Amino acid sequence: MSERKDGKPGSGPLAGVKVVELAGRGPGPFGAMILADLGAEVVRVARLEDVAPSEAESATERSLKGHRRIDLLTRGRRSVALDLKHPGGVEAVLRMVDRADVLVEGYRPGVAERLGLGPDECLWRNPRLVYARMTGFGQEGPYARSPGHDINYVALAGALEPLRRPGQPPAPPLNLLGDFGGGGMLMVIGVLGALVERARSGLGQVVDAAMVDGVALLTTLFHGMRAEGLWSDEPGTNVLSLAAPFYNVYETSDGRHVAVGAGEHQFYAELLQRLGLGDELLRQQGDPATWPAGRAALEAVFRTRTLAEWTAELEGTDTCFTPVLTMEEAARHPHNVERQTFVEVDGVVQPAPAPRFSRTPAGPGGPPAAAGQHTREVLLDWGFAADELDALLASGAARQAPTRETPGGDRPT
């Protein structure tokens, strides 16, 4: 897998695609990171206040002392700092839009329009532009202008309540469902679909990626199961909500956990045989009334050994067994090491780009850039003359992050 160190585009399948990202948080940066991972040239437009001299100086000092803020969602792309409330800053973005294939914005509905950077203005200037809008509730509807976060979008989409366990409130799986699965990933799918369609029509379009829509889409299977009468709204009674003994998480004697997903008859038979349990549990696999007793039997057995002992016993067998790993352990697991599921860039271990491509392999870009670190070089690359750049900086519409020589002569990033 190739590795890029300078934040410039690599050789992935999106090489040659130019993306302007209006800096935000969470799902927008995650989606832009994926586009950059796959080879697109993504330029992140940061706010001026993110590169105020005093803040930049303290960041440099922390970097020199070995401490720095590491926002991996911004990896692999260069950063410019523009004031989007300054006419010169807005015009600079629009000139970048003229050369871009994609624009990504994650503002609340109406904000981009008020800034003069809405889809009508951008598509008028560049009809081939794919304008990707990343929001929580979408561009219309009663909640459209309401503030919210992952937990709110997951709740409104009907995906939080099914995560409830008996006697406990719903527990969201971090912010993986809304921000990333139903948000950034959905936006990338929309961008890629629009780029494919543009190859036929020659025209761009607006991609409205709302997290509540994306999370709802992720629940499609369960809506079908409810329609069949195979899914209950009562917590802890469904196969995929840890009701079944053959699809569950069990504690080991050292307080760790193992995951078992032996839904198929032959895999459950192998698991029960290796655990020393009788055929009765196997015969009861399809009877939910017997599941509580089955769970209790497996719980008792798994508590007799440590995680390491169970891993040695069951890993690699036809039991659908895996140890429950920490993030640090996952990066060191032999399977992930062989597949290079995690990579190290600039001393930081992080997930590698995915999926894999046979002819145009993707590679992680450079480490996260400081806000405004590349203002000069990016704007020159994107068609600004040197005197135009100087005037833009002098007007306060743009800012270049200050740098400082280290004792060894290298400039910290």
Side-chain angles (χ1 to χ4, degrees), residues 382-394:
W382 283 59
F384 285 74
D387 58 342
E388 292 178 312
L389 175 57
D390 290 340
L392 196 64
L393 292 166

Side-chain angles (χ1 to χ4, degrees), residues 220-234:
T220 302
L221 169 68
F222 310 107
H223 282 273
M225 293 178 70
R226 289 188 79 253
E228 293 179 275
L230 299 177
W231 184 270
S232 168
D233 290 336
E234 182 180 349

Side-chain angles (χ1 to χ4, degrees), residues 229-249:
L230 299 177
W231 184 270
S232 168
D233 290 336
E234 182 180 349
T237 60
N238 299 289
V239 170
L240 297 178
S241 59
L242 304 187
F246 48 84
Y247 195 95
N248 223 300
V249 177

Side-chain angles (χ1 to χ4, degrees), residues 113-245:
E113 284 83 351
R114 290 197 297 272
L115 292 173
L117 296 171
D120 290 345
E121 177 67 31
C122 291
L123 285 164
W124 180 81
R125 293 182 65 122
N126 180 359
R128 290 176 53 82
L129 182 73
V130 173
Y131 191 108
R133 317 198 79 167
M134 183 74 259
T135 61
F137 297 115
Q139 298 296 317
E140 63 279 317
Y143 274 70
R145 284 170 169 75
S146 298
H149 287 289
D150 176 285
I151 196 170
N152 305 116
Y153 315 134
V154 174
L156 196 67
L160 185 58
E161 173 62 20
L163 299 175
R164 186 160 60 93
R165 301 289 176 256
Q168 299 178 12
L174 306 178
N175 61 333
L176 298 175
L177 273 182
D179 282 352
F180 304 132
M185 286 278 194
L186 182 76
M187 185 196 78
V188 170
I189 292 171
V191 167
L192 298 180
L195 288 174
V196 169
E197 193 281 335
R198 189 184 72 174
R200 296 193 298 268
S201 68
L203 296 173
Q205 59 184 303
V206 178
V207 175
D208 176 6
M211 283 176 267
V212 70
D213 297 348
V215 175
L217 185 64
L218 294 175
T219 67
T220 302
L221 169 68
F222 310 107
H223 282 273
M225 293 178 70
R226 289 188 79 253
E228 293 179 275
L230 299 177
W231 184 270
S232 168
D233 290 336
E234 182 180 349
T237 60
N238 299 289
V239 170
L240 297 178
S241 59
L242 304 187

Side-chain angles (χ1 to χ4, degrees), residues 340-364:
Q340 298 182 48
T341 302
F342 297 87
V343 294
E344 184 175 318
V345 177
D346 198 37
V348 179
V349 175
Q350 56 199 272
R356 314 291 175 87
F357 297 86
S358 62
R359 289 191 299 102
T360 56

Side-chain angles (χ1 to χ4, degrees), residues 168-386:
Q168 299 178 12
L174 306 178
N175 61 333
L176 298 175
L177 273 182
D179 282 352
F180 304 132
M185 286 278 194
L186 182 76
M187 185 196 78
V188 170
I189 292 171
V191 167
L192 298 180
L195 288 174
V196 169
E197 193 281 335
R198 189 184 72 174
R200 296 193 298 268
S201 68
L203 296 173
Q205 59 184 303
V206 178
V207 175
D208 176 6
M211 283 176 267
V212 70
D213 297 348
V215 175
L217 185 64
L218 294 175
T219 67
T220 302
L221 169 68
F222 310 107
H223 282 273
M225 293 178 70
R226 289 188 79 253
E228 293 179 275
L230 299 177
W231 184 270
S232 168
D233 290 336
E234 182 180 349
T237 60
N238 299 289
V239 170
L240 297 178
S241 59
L242 304 187
F246 48 84
Y247 195 95
N248 223 300
V249 177
Y250 294 101
E251 186 177 1
T252 59
S253 64
D254 54 350
R256 299 296 303 276
H257 294 86
V258 300
V260 170
E264 291 83 358
H265 190 78
Q266 69 273 24
F267 299 145
Y268 193 35
E270 178 74 10
L271 176 67
L272 294 174
Q273 187 275 323
R274 288 179 176 273
L275 296 183
L277 297 172
D279 292 338
E280 183 178 2
L281 287 180
L282 184 63
R283 290 193 296 270
Q284 296 173 343
Q285 184 175 12
D287 183 3
T290 69
W291 287 354
R295 289 199 311 270
L298 270 70
E299 287 169 358
V301 174
F302 276 114
R303 285 200 183 102
T304 63
R305 298 188 191 181
T306 66
L307 175 64
E309 289 171 332
W310 281 120
T311 300
E313 171 70 22
L314 296 176
E315 198 168 46
T317 65
D318 286 347
T319 57
C320 300
F321 164 92
T322 51
V324 176
L325 303 177
T326 66
M327 287 190 286
E328 181 179 359
E329 290 169 335
R332 300 198 311 261
H333 191 277
H335 178 83
N336 295 330
V337 170
E338 182 171 332
R339 281 191 57 79
Q340 298 182 48
T341 302
F342 297 87
V343 294
E344 184 175 318
V345 177
D346 198 37
V348 179
V349 175
Q350 56 199 272
R356 314 291 175 87
F357 297 86
S358 62
R359 289 191 299 102
T360 56
Q373 179 179 333
H374 308 100
T375 298
R376 288 183 178 277
E377 67 178 76
V378 165
L379 294 181
L380 290 172
D381 285 350
W382 283 59
F384 285 74

